Amino acid sequence: MVNQYIRSENVMRTKKITLPESEMPRQWYNIMADMPTPMEPPLHPGTGEPAGADDLSPIFPMGLIEQDMSQERWIDIPEEVLEKYAIWRPTPLYRAYSLEKFLDTPAKIYYKNEGVSPAGSHKPNTAIPQAYYNKLAGTKKIITETGAGQWGSALAMACTFFGLECKVYMVKISYNQKPYRRLMMETWGAQCIASPSTETNAGRTILEQNPESPGSLGIAISEAIEEAVNTEGAKYSLGSVLNHVMIHQTINGLETQKQMAIAGDYPDVVIGCAGGGSNFAGNCTPFVRDKIHGKEIDIIGVEPSSCPTLTKGPFAYDFGDTVQMTPLLPMYTLGHNFVPAPIHAGGLRYHGMAPIISQLLLDKLIRAESVHQMETFQAGITFARTEGFISAPECNHAIAMAIREALKAKEEGKEKVILFNWSGHGLVDMAAYQAYFQGDLSDYPLPKEEIKRALEDIASLPKPKQYQPGRFE
Ligand SMILES: Cc1ncc(COP(=O)(O)O)c(C=O)c1O
């Protein structure tokens, strides 16, 4: 009897690969140490000259600025940050047996579940260290923006852990679509305001031009920076795009590499959705490092067809915000005045892209694809009905691409290993699913005239050496 029991347990397939806390990485990985082409520098918004640490110090603490400019390959994670990470990390890696069976594919599909954090996404991976380095520098209050509310809620939690005040400008369309996100922020002690608001000059100007503005991340960033630089003891914080954010998120990819080794597999394809680029960078850059050293991997960033920054935008210098307060960043962009259609993947409605991701795309170490909204929801529902988890609308973009790749593997008869980053759960996004079930959602094809118009606003800005025109003809 006993033997039989053991035997049956031994043949059970491993569904999730977990790591003990003792195996949690103690260092973040910085791909800037390994990139074949160094990134061009950010430029000061006023002078157009390369921006240095002093230019950034009014808005960020020095600990983060140093990481942003670091060429160190490995950066130690402070003990206080590891302690907080341990609340939910290491996160499990799953083998999607049921999805594979449903798709009848020879591909093996793995997904890394970042939705198990208290805020429900990958965003606390950077919120915790950002709050920590601010606390260390004597900051009293952090002001930020949020799209879908995942970042705002993650930072609200991190600030409460380190005894900091937190204020969040939330893009108005998402503020209305996702009321429970605001309540999560309030539960963690933060203040949440719909943007554009009347609290800042930036918000008032936008509202004068368009009282019905649904808001955008670019506008909300302008509001948050304006208030941060004008408030004693306050700093600004960004949940994506910047180098230090990409570095913090690598805790994910480093764990994934250990877990894939335990599973005895190595990915042929690595997929992540890309808004500002942080969950994608976090999961993929340790694999990009392997690719630089000779591994063959197809690494795909997935974005909405209605906001096709990587697939259609030029590689140019542009502002990170609408009111032109941030440094000019070398990145793929649709122009800082571009206001994306009101899709439910609020976290992917951003005009720009992380300079690190942009440079990796320029160097063809990664590639980009875009997916329409309806396909992403169909994919999310297929995932929920096979694997169980209900995904954030952003994350549905990664699932849609994983399904495309698994079906391609079926057509080609190849047993590919596909890995995607499941960046967050959608339990606070059920209104989006309701809209889908009621037939109220649609695709938003983006007319090229609209992109062209938005790009006119960056035509006169300095051009990076590696400038590339847009691809919307
Ligand atoms: C669940 C989830 N995935 C992905 C994103 C996209 O952001 P990023 O590209 O920085 O990972 C967001 C942003 O809010 C998000 O909430």
Side-chain angles (χ1 to χ4, degrees):
M1 281 299 282
V2 171
N3 280 346
Q4 252 178 1
Y5 174 72
I6 291 172
R7 216 176 16 250
S8 68
E9 206 181 41
N10 281 347
V11 295
M12 195 180 137
R13 303 177 301 183
T14 302
K15 174 72 184 165
K16 63 183 179 305
I17 300 118
T18 51
L19 291 174
E21 272 176 37
S22 56
E23 283 293 316
M24 187 161 66
R26 287 337 197 222
Q27 292 178 312
W28 292 298
Y29 169 59
N30 177 11
I31 190 144
M32 289 186 281
D34 289 317
M35 286 166 77
T37 317
M39 287 186 295
E40 295 183 47
L43 304 180
H44 188 282
T47 63
E49 294 298 316
D54 288 348
D55 298 314
L56 298 173
S57 61
I59 49 176
F60 297 118
M62 204 42 86
L64 296 175
I65 296 172
E66 279 166 10
Q67 289 179 358
D68 228 61
M69 300 180 165
S70 171
Q71 289 298 315
E72 293 294 318
R73 181 169 293 114
W74 300 104
I75 296 176
D76 289 341
I77 307 177
E79 276 303 315
E80 292 86 340
V81 172
L82 287 170
E83 251 175 48
K84 298 300 176 199
Y85 275 177
I87 297 172
W88 75 97
R89 303 210 71 87
T91 62
L93 176 76
Y94 285 83
R95 173 84 185 269
Y97 289 115
S98 306
L99 178 63
E100 288 168 18
K101 189 166 171 216
F102 175 80
L103 298 173
D104 190 24
T105 174
K108 295 180 182 177
I109 307 175
Y110 289 89
Y111 57 98
K112 175 77 163 161
N113 186 341
E114 287 293 297
V116 295
S117 77
S121 77
H122 64 294
K123 294 286 180 183
N125 295 336
T126 184
I128 300 283
Q130 290 202 40
Y132 167 78
Y133 288 109
N134 268 289
K135 180 74 181 177
L136 218 59
T139 305
K140 300 281 179 265
K141 178 175 185 174
I142 303 185
I143 304 170
T144 194
E145 74 296 321
T146 194
Q150 293 267 22
W151 166 242
S153 48
L155 189 68
M157 178 184 77
C159 282
T160 209
F161 284 164
F162 290 100
L164 299 168
E165 266 185 77
C166 179
K167 180 168 177 180
V168 183
Y169 286 93
M170 183 168 183
V171 176
K172 194 175 274 169
I173 173 88
S174 296
Y175 185 91
N176 295 330
Q177 282 169 345
K178 299 169 204 272
Y180 293 120
R181 278 279 159 203
R182 169 172 62 81
L183 285 162
M184 287 172 72
M185 293 178 227
E186 288 174 359
T187 303
W188 279 310
Q191 186 190 4
C192 177
I193 306 278
S195 164
S197 77
T198 52
E199 307 228 340
T200 62
N201 286 330
R204 286 188 290 271
T205 309
I206 300 287
L207 287 173
E208 269 163 32
Q209 289 161 0
N210 177 12
E212 302 306 317
S213 168
S216 69
L217 277 167
I219 297 169
I221 293 173
S222 296
E223 291 208 87
I225 296 183
E226 180 184 324
E227 187 175 337
V229 295
N230 291 312
T231 307
E232 185 67 33
K235 292 275 188 223
Y236 167 69
S237 161
L238 188 60
S240 192
V241 182
L242 300 177
N243 303 340
H244 63 264
V245 182
M246 305 297 125
I247 291 172
H248 299 156
Q249 290 293 349
T250 60
I251 180 101
N252 169 350
L254 295 168
E255 280 179 10
T256 305
Q257 287 192 317
K258 290 188 178 192
Q259 289 161 310
M260 290 298 300
I262 293 171
D265 273 323
Y266 189 88
D268 298 299
V269 186
V270 175
I271 297 168
C273 65
S278 76
N279 85 91
F280 178 45
N283 194 263
C284 86
T285 52
F287 291 101
V288 174
R289 178 169 187 242
D290 290 354
K291 189 165 177 171
I292 292 168
H293 291 106
K295 278 270 188 200
E296 262 186 42
I297 327 173
D298 188 16
I299 302 176
I300 312 170
V302 191
E303 60 186 10
S305 300
S306 58
C307 189
T309 315
L310 287 171
T311 48
K312 296 256 169 81
F315 177 78
Y317 268 118
D318 194 9
F319 296 99
D321 69 320
T322 305
V323 181
Q324 312 183 4
M325 296 173 85
T326 68
L328 287 162
L329 300 174
M331 61 182 177
Y332 283 94
T333 177
L334 296 170
H336 54 270
N337 284 328
F338 180 73
V339 178
I343 53 165
H344 279 267
L348 305 185
R349 291 179 73 246
Y350 185 58
H351 67 273
M353 185 56 62
I356 286 182
I357 291 296
S358 297
Q359 187 64 49
L360 295 176
L361 182 63
L362 270 180
D363 285 348
K364 299 194 168 50
L365 285 164
I366 60 171
R367 66 186 178 94
E369 294 280 353
S370 70
V371 188
H372 275 297
Q373 175 159 259
M374 295 302 274
E375 183 182 340
T376 67
F377 273 90
Q378 280 145 16
I381 287 161
T382 299
F383 189 72
R385 291 181 185 175
T386 50
E387 293 298 310
F389 294 110
I390 297 176
S391 325
E394 292 81 2
C395 190
N396 285 341
H397 290 68
I399 299 173
M401 191 51 52
I403 291 178
R404 279 194 198 172
E405 285 295 317
L407 294 177
K408 194 164 98 191
K410 180 172 159 179
E411 254 174 52
E412 294 169 349
K414 285 191 183 151
E415 198 199 78
K416 277 193 181 165
V417 177
I418 299 169
L419 163 71
F420 73 89
N421 192 42
W422 198 76
S423 55
H425 71 66
L427 298 179
V428 195
D429 299 294
M430 295 318 293
Y433 283 84
Q434 184 182 29
Y436 176 81
F437 292 128
Q438 288 174 347
D440 293 339
L441 289 195
S442 59
D443 291 338
Y444 289 96
L446 182 59
K448 65 180 176 206
E449 291 68 33
E450 209 176 304
I451 313 184
K452 276 186 175 166
R453 202 167 38 243
L455 289 176
E456 278 165 17
D457 297 337
I458 64 168
S460 61
L461 296 176
K463 297 270 182 298
K465 289 193 195 82
Q466 301 168 78
Y467 173 79
Q468 263 194 3
R471 291 139 297 155
F472 38 83
E473 292 306 337

